[in-house]
Amino acid sequence: MPTIPFNSSSPKINSKAHSSRLEAVLNTVIDGIITINNRGDIQSFNPSAERIFGYAPEEVIGKNVKMLMPEPYHKEHDGYLQNYFNTGDKQVIGKGREVEAQRKNGTIFSMELGVNEMSIAGETMFVGTIRDISDRKAAEQALMENQAKLQAIVDNTVDGLITINEVGKIEHYNKACEGIFGFTFAEVVGKNVKMLMPEPYHKEHDGYLQNYHNSGTKKIIGIGREVKGKRKNGTCFPLDLSVSEIHIHGRKLYSGIVRDISERKKSEDRIEQANAELEEFSYRTSHDLRSPLVSSIRLLDIVQEAIENNEKDHALMGIGRIQKSLNQLEELVKDILTLTLTKNEKEDYEAVNVDTVINDSLNKLKHMENYERLSIQLVPQFEQSLITKKNRFVLIVENLLSNAIKYQDVSNDSSFVKVTIYSQENKFILTVSDNGLGIPKSLQKQLFQMFKRFHPKTSFGSGLGLYMMKKSVDVLGGRIEFDDMDNLSTFKVTLPQSLE
């Protein structure tokens, strides 16, 4: 930067008047103005500089300007001046920059400093213009902190927040969205938001935006509704979406709040299914309980009449039919009680010996009709204990075995039931196969529904066994499958082997 010549003998300028005007200007400007000589000693210190630093002029005039600087500027200042005089290398002269300064009371503050070089009567001097920017810096810091807090709030909300521009390009996408959709911010920013939508929303989205811009007709803006979203892995899921229109610096943006409602929908489906099952249960139990009672009452009239007519054989036949009806009623009541207990029972996990459960169940079922004609084959390949809820597991085993015994094909001279247990990939697997009557393919979709009886003429059943078994498998975190091939029916139960 060129030096500023100062010629006090100029005939065109009244020196005294000029000096007065210059002093008035220096005394009234908002910025602090300090002049130093080539040794760094302060030569002048205007009123604004007094206000900024807290020093009176007599406290600083003649002293090194580094007294107004904190470290590291304090110790480096003299070296900087000497380097400039030796090399002519200007680092701050002619440039403005932000530095730190120190007031009389020791506080450090931010200031903008502009330094220029001038020559007066052949002597090199420097004039510094100073502006206290501590208030501005504090405001900037407060703004940054507020922005950081706002960002933290947005990033840590449970709901996803997406902002798009007028053409549907994503501009903001918070951390909750990353968890919901599986895409990172870097993968979606600048891309059309329809990438997060399955069909038909995907192909309709741009047209909806264009229609809104053309007509002003709002279909979802300002209104919450349930839509489908699409994750990075391609799966679709239900979500609640509410969209707001916002205007920032003349730009129109759309802010969408999304909430994954997959679990809520599952809960609603479970409640709906439970209500349907309850309704079915109420109807069927009242019907199935009433039917054998009505039948028995009518048979009692027939038996009474046979006794009065001394028809002993006829009376005994009627009593036998009454016994059969009441036995069916007892079995139904027993299954209903079991179902009620399993729904309400709170049971802890424990180590269960699977071989013991299977053998105890077979001993319990030996009284069943035609048990003795079956070939029971046990193929145990699981030696350790199973960590599970014992009562639930016993119910599963007993139902599988009793069904295989009950629905055997008595016309087959080689009827068998094969039980296999083994471990695979930390899963416990139990299979029960038999060559009995099987289940018609047309009815297999109803396999685990309540009150479904597949061979009512062969043997009486409440129709609750398979339903209770499936519910117990679900409670234990497993799955049950049925396969019917080559006249062989197989139930396969897969359970977690432990709690890990």
Side-chain angles (χ1 to χ4, degrees), residues 243-260:
V243 181
S244 300
E245 181 180 330
I246 54 179
H247 297 264
I248 300 177
H249 304 305
R251 296 181 64 221
K252 184 185 292 183
L253 301 174
Y254 303 96
S255 176
I257 297 175
V258 296
R259 174 173 293 181
D260 184 349

Side-chain angles (χ1 to χ4, degrees), residues 19-31 33 46-48:
S19 296
S20 297
R21 286 195 296 272
L22 182 59
E23 184 176 355
V25 170
L26 294 176
N27 288 341
T28 56
V29 293
I30 296 175
D31 293 339
I33 297 177
N46 79 336
S48 288

Side-chain angles (χ1 to χ4, degrees), residues 87-142:
T87 65
D89 180 24
K90 299 179 180 180
Q91 293 187 5
V92 298
I93 296 173
K95 302 173 185 177
R97 68 170 181 167
E98 185 179 311
V99 296
E100 287 187 337
Q102 183 171 306
R103 305 187 203 277
K104 182 179 179 179
N105 63 11
T107 58
I108 310 297
F109 67 100
S110 298
M111 71 175 186
E112 285 182 348
L113 171 65
V115 180
N116 276 312
E117 181 183 358
M118 61 184 180
S119 177
I120 298 177
E123 182 181 356
T124 299
M125 299 188 71
F126 303 93
V127 58
T129 304
I130 298 156
R131 177 168 294 177
D132 184 351
I133 58 170
S134 50
D135 288 343
R136 190 185 80 192
K137 294 293 288 184
E140 290 175 354
Q141 182 63 29

Side-chain angles (χ1 to χ4, degrees), residues 332-360:
L332 176 60
V333 171
K334 184 180 68 175
D335 283 349
I336 291 172
L337 288 173
T338 301
L339 176 61
T340 304
L341 286 172
T342 54
K343 279 183 173 292
N344 298 321
E345 185 178 30
K346 302 297 182 183
E347 186 181 2
D348 294 329
Y349 282 84
E350 60 179 293
V352 175
N353 187 301
V354 178
D355 288 344
T356 300
V357 170
I358 292 174
N359 288 320
D360 288 349

Side-chain angles (χ1 to χ4, degrees), residues 5-208:
F6 183 81
N7 186 355
S8 59
S9 61
S10 172
K12 295 182 181 180
I13 299 175
N14 184 313
S15 177
K16 185 174 182 180
H18 179 68
S19 296
S20 297
R21 286 195 296 272
L22 182 59
E23 184 176 355
V25 170
L26 294 176
N27 288 341
T28 56
V29 293
I30 296 175
D31 293 339
I33 297 177
I34 304 173
T35 57
I36 62 172
N37 60 20
N38 56 10
R39 296 182 300 278
D41 298 328
I42 297 172
Q43 302 298 296
S44 68
F45 197 77
N46 79 336
S48 288
E50 296 180 43
R51 173 180 52 79
I52 292 171
F53 288 96
Y55 288 103
E58 58 270 18
E59 293 178 291
V60 297
I61 298 295
K63 296 182 180 178
N64 196 297
V65 73
K66 65 185 179 183
M67 69 180 290
L68 306 178
M69 305 174 185
E71 295 296 353
Y73 309 106
H74 183 91
K75 66 182 179 183
E76 294 175 354
H77 183 262
D78 291 345
Y80 166 72
L81 271 181
Q82 190 60 49
N83 178 72
Y84 169 61
F85 289 126
N86 293 339
T87 65
D89 180 24
K90 299 179 180 180
Q91 293 187 5
V92 298
I93 296 173
K95 302 173 185 177
R97 68 170 181 167
E98 185 179 311
V99 296
E100 287 187 337
Q102 183 171 306
R103 305 187 203 277
K104 182 179 179 179
N105 63 11
T107 58
I108 310 297
F109 67 100
S110 298
M111 71 175 186
E112 285 182 348
L113 171 65
V115 180
N116 276 312
E117 181 183 358
M118 61 184 180
S119 177
I120 298 177
E123 182 181 356
T124 299
M125 299 188 71
F126 303 93
V127 58
T129 304
I130 298 156
R131 177 168 294 177
D132 184 351
I133 58 170
S134 50
D135 288 343
R136 190 185 80 192
K137 294 293 288 184
E140 290 175 354
Q141 182 63 29
L143 179 60
M144 289 175 60
E145 289 176 358
N146 286 336
Q147 289 176 333
K149 289 177 184 176
L150 180 60
Q151 189 66 44
I153 292 170
V154 169
D155 283 342
N156 290 282
T157 55
V158 175
D159 294 335
L161 178 62
I162 305 174
T163 303
I164 63 171
N165 61 20
E166 286 188 278
V167 294
K169 299 293 180 66
I170 297 172
E171 295 193 359
H172 183 79
Y173 177 91
N174 72 346
K175 290 186 182 297
C177 284
E178 295 185 351
I180 293 171
F181 292 98
F183 290 101
T184 64
F185 174 79
E187 291 175 306
V188 301
V189 65
K191 296 180 181 177
N192 195 300
V193 71
K194 66 184 179 183
M195 70 182 289
L196 307 177
M197 306 172 185
E199 296 297 352
Y201 307 105
H202 183 91
K203 66 182 179 183
E204 293 175 355
H205 182 263
D206 291 346
Y208 166 72

